[in-house]
Amino acid sequence: MGNEIEVNYEIPEIIDEPGTWIGPEIQAAESWVYQLTNEDSAKIDAALRSLEDKTIEIPFSSEQFLLPTFAAKIDRFLDDIENGLGMALLRGLPRDKYTDEECAKIYWGIGAHFGNPVSQNSRGHRLGDVWDEGKSYDDPTARGYQTNQKMDFHTDLMPVDVLGLLCLRQSKSGGESALVSALTIHNVLKKERPDLLEELYGNFNMDWRGEEPEGEKPYFTIPMVSHAKGRTTSRFVSRQYFESTSRFGDEAALKEGQREALNLVQEIANRPELRITMMMQEGDMQFINNHTILHARSAFEDHDDPTLKRHLLRMWIAVDDARRRPLSDALAARYDWVKRGGFPEKQEHAATQS
């Protein structure tokens, strides 16, 4: 798969769809927050016990995690993620009732009803740990979820359809989550700096940061914004993936016009009138559209006791073609990796697969 992509695009006028929301309008309404009912919790608990009775372990299919009535609600959540606000927060899982392993099974089972969880890294993890591994952005192979540092607004590296997070344990302090609509940012750019919006429709180089699949270059090239079948998609990954391409030479390095455009995206995303913020509670399950929502996290401090470390579980979920947001041809090579199961596991990690 080559890195050079010819981009033919037509920049749309102001986007008008439910996903172009304004933060304060939905922060207070919390229409995106679903509180589990007692009936929901009972159905989830029954599905978990059925797994344990049959000694079924992760990975398992949605057919093995039966959720009568609640599965229909998950279908509505998915519709809102794909065609509505682009996000859903499921709250009320009785966290203290379950072990970490039981929470993981519940989370996987619910995620499997959204679609197919794929590999998130070259370790082959389909259910990933998000915690501080003591790494830093100074390491060109480190990814943000492995640090305790602030994470700017971004989408995740692969163009997976749905990004899911489950909060197992909160930090001692910090770690606040923030979300913003990439579609709303597009509208702001169209009004304020259409020249830089056009820049974002061009090709950008991004660093695989050591996790490129076999046969791929150590960096790849895609547009930050693209358009297909009347729908707009954004691919704003964390800034480190752009800046570290300079290690591959001047040709791969970020250009000044591109840097200016990315800086403006961050400035707009951080405007209080556009974004929403939340401190995820233990047991919360957050699902967002990885094509239309940018997410961020503040820096955090962990407890001294390692057993109390901030710990989230993550899933990258590929949605059925009939349900997912259409993507432009410029993203086809990247989405092909999603269809093939995400990041291929590298041989050096095979012996340590968890």
Side-chain angles (χ1 to χ4, degrees), residues 112-123:
H113 279 272
F114 282 97
N116 178 40
V118 302
S119 171
Q120 307 165 26
N121 51 38
S122 58
R123 305 175 195 178

Side-chain angles (χ1 to χ4, degrees), residues 287-353:
F287 296 94
I288 64 173
N289 189 317
N290 193 43
H291 305 307
T292 65
I293 299 292
L294 307 184
H295 61 286
R297 184 198 72 200
S298 65
F300 65 88
E301 178 186 1
D302 259 328
H303 296 275
D304 293 332
D305 183 345
T307 65
L308 299 178
K309 284 183 63 170
R310 181 182 188 270
H311 189 184
L312 280 69
L313 296 179
R314 182 176 71 174
M315 273 190 287
W316 283 359
I317 303 172
V319 172
D320 184 85
D321 285 347
R323 302 288 302 272
R324 68 181 177 88
R325 195 173 187 86
L327 302 181
S328 76
D329 291 342
L331 302 182
R334 298 287 73 95
Y335 197 79
D336 187 57
W337 285 114
V338 176
K339 286 188 171 182
R340 292 159 64 180
F343 276 99
E345 183 181 357
K346 290 194 172 182
Q347 190 60 39
E348 60 263 34
H349 298 310
T352 58
Q353 168 67 24

